[in-house]
Amino acid sequence: MCTDDFCAPESHLWRAVLREWEHWADRYSYPLVMNPIFEATELFQRGVGGDTEVVTKQMYTFTDKGGRSVTLRPEGTAGVVRAFLNSGTSGAWKGAYSGPMFRYERPQAGRRRQFWQVGVEYLDVEGPAADAEVIELGYRYLSAVQVTGLELLLNSLGDELCRPGYVDLLRRYLEERRSRLCDDSVSLIEVNPLRVLDCKVCAPVLADAPAMKDHLCDPCATHYQQVKSALDGLGIAFREDARLVRGLDYYTRTAFEYIATDLTVAQNAVGGGGRYDGLAEAIGGRRTPGVGFALGIDRIILSSDLVPEPEVDVYLVSETTPADALVAASRLREKGLRVDFDTEGRSVKAQFKAASRSEARAVVVLRAGGALVDARVGEERGDVPLPELASWLMGRLG
Ligand code: HAM
């Protein structure tokens, strides 16, 4: 099925990266939003765009027992906007999500059919500060999880007023060079010429292609300028990329991608996003401007230098019975310590082996009949009375 399992120790890094995500979403005041994993197919056709590769080639779509066409979500934005519209609220609204997405792509390193995204959507907001806040959040989070060679690419895709004129211009440019374009690009000239800008094969032909940012209407140009100034003010470096068009159709104005330049897989985008002022209307709701991003955790894992903290604070080695250890563990757990022990009554030697495998920060030996236990944190060792064990450990483990 081309899906993967992740167990410890590999999953330690997943856990660390997902925990860190919760901290950063909190800091920017994005509460959790939870959406269904499958939705009516029409939501993605109308929201993401009927001509996009995601919709035409990559969706897991099936008919349910009630005869409805449903699709495993290939991305999170359309579902979050639908949820916001259904809620009937208005005014600035934030949501952060984390979960699996599904795209029928050719699996390879960093590209999977079931992959994990975290993301935010900031809805009913128009000002450039919203774009900058969203971009900053993604950037700070990716820096915190130590994505190596992190780079931010930025572009503006204009809006429904200025983009059509630019698209005509681009189409003419491409028509004139038709014979030098690859077959895929030729097939896109009519339906979606912007996507040709993405083609790596045709890059040499596209070197002088007209750039959207030079054809923005005044309001879009001002918005773009203000987003860039805000990022400068935040000290976030970015590179303008006139060929950045994104693969989903809903974007207007700001578009951005986070790239891990050191990542040697076919696609090194660890995340992307932008503004989508027309999406809510496209799915049948009222006009609701919004901006957001999604980050691909699978690729973050591949490009992160983060060394996850040990997951166990204390391993209890019992010279008595597992029942004694169970009670001692329970007391320490009540105090908030992360504790593990052997429930099977194996030899002390086997328990020490397990303690070392667990990479626990402290090892405690529960002695037969003894009120004192032998507690070790790194090099430090102490004969500690059992009732004082929790505070002895907490004083040292912090
Ligand atoms: P996207 O660029 O399609 O945007 O996906 C965001 C990120 O998800 C990518 O940069 C990549 O890291 C990861 N990703 C996508 N497909 C795969 C895959 N098959 N395997 C592994 N990772 C993958 C969106 O999904 C938009 N909804 C982002 C957004 C939110 N725009 C506005 N708000």
Side-chain angles (χ1 to χ4, degrees), residues 138-164:
Y139 190 85
R140 302 270 185 239
Y141 166 71
L142 291 169
S143 306
V145 293
Q146 298 178 33
V147 164
T148 53
L150 178 62
E151 204 183 323
L152 169 63
L153 306 182
L154 190 68
N155 195 13
S156 175
L157 299 175
D159 64 7
E160 70 281 5
L161 290 180
C162 52
R163 190 156 49 194

Side-chain angles (χ1 to χ4, degrees), residues 74-77 97 103 105 110-113 115 117 120-121 246 248 250-251 257 269-274 276 291-296 298-299:
E75 60 100 55
T77 311
Y97 52 92
R103 294 183 193 175
E105 294 198 75
R111 194 203 275 159
R112 303 195 310 117
R113 291 183 174 167
F115 57 101
Q117 280 188 346
V120 295
E121 309 300 344
R246 312 276 301 127
L248 315 167
Y250 47 62
Y251 292 107
E257 265 178 14
V270 287
Y276 43 83
V291 58
F293 65 68
L295 311 175
D298 304 73
R299 289 185 198 168

Side-chain angles (χ1 to χ4, degrees), residues 153-357:
L153 306 182
L154 190 68
N155 195 13
S156 175
L157 299 175
D159 64 7
E160 70 281 5
L161 290 180
C162 52
R163 190 156 49 194
Y166 166 71
V167 168
D168 283 346
L169 197 68
L170 178 63
R171 196 175 274 128
R172 277 204 298 281
Y173 175 93
L174 297 173
E175 279 296 357
E176 283 161 16
R177 290 155 184 84
R178 196 183 181 94
S179 60
R180 291 161 59 202
L181 297 172
C182 73
D183 289 349
D184 284 347
S185 290
V186 168
S187 69
L188 284 168
I189 296 179
E190 253 328 292
V191 281
N192 199 345
L194 278 179
R195 297 288 306 152
V196 178
L197 294 177
D198 227 9
C199 178
K200 307 265 180 301
V201 185
C202 298
V205 190
L206 302 168
D208 303 323
M212 182 71 236
K213 72 178 167 67
D214 300 328
H215 299 271
L216 296 172
C217 58
D218 285 347
C220 285
T222 305
H223 186 94
Y224 187 40
Q225 192 50 50
Q226 288 172 336
V227 172
K228 288 190 287 184
S229 306
L231 291 175
D232 285 339
L234 291 165
I236 294 183
F238 58 86
R239 181 160 64 81
E240 286 186 80
D241 181 354
R243 303 248 309 271
L244 176 68
V245 287
R246 312 276 301 127
L248 315 167
D249 268 359
Y250 47 62
Y251 292 107
T252 51
R253 295 191 167 175
T254 313
F256 57 93
E257 265 178 14
Y258 305 102
I259 305 292
T261 48
D262 295 352
L263 195 58
T264 51
V265 297
Q267 288 160 323
N268 62 0
V270 287
R275 182 163 273 289
Y276 43 83
D277 294 345
L279 172 56
E281 280 168 299
I283 61 172
R286 65 175 174 82
R287 185 185 138 76
T288 309
V291 58
F293 65 68
L295 311 175
I297 297 294
D298 304 73
R299 289 185 198 168
I300 291 173
I301 296 286
L302 292 176
S303 60
S304 167
D305 269 350
L306 196 72
V307 178
E309 298 275 310
E311 299 222 332
V312 180
D313 290 322
V314 185
Y315 196 98
L316 292 180
V317 171
S318 172
E319 289 180 357
T320 63
T321 62
D324 286 345
L326 180 66
V327 172
S330 171
R331 301 236 161 93
L332 298 179
R333 287 167 174 158
E334 262 174 38
K335 301 282 181 204
L337 290 166
R338 301 169 302 172
V339 184
D340 200 8
F341 72 98
D342 169 49
T343 55
E344 305 302 304
R346 288 179 303 169
S347 70
V348 168
K349 190 172 164 206
Q351 293 181 59
F352 268 112
K353 265 199 190 150
S356 125
R357 255 200 320 274

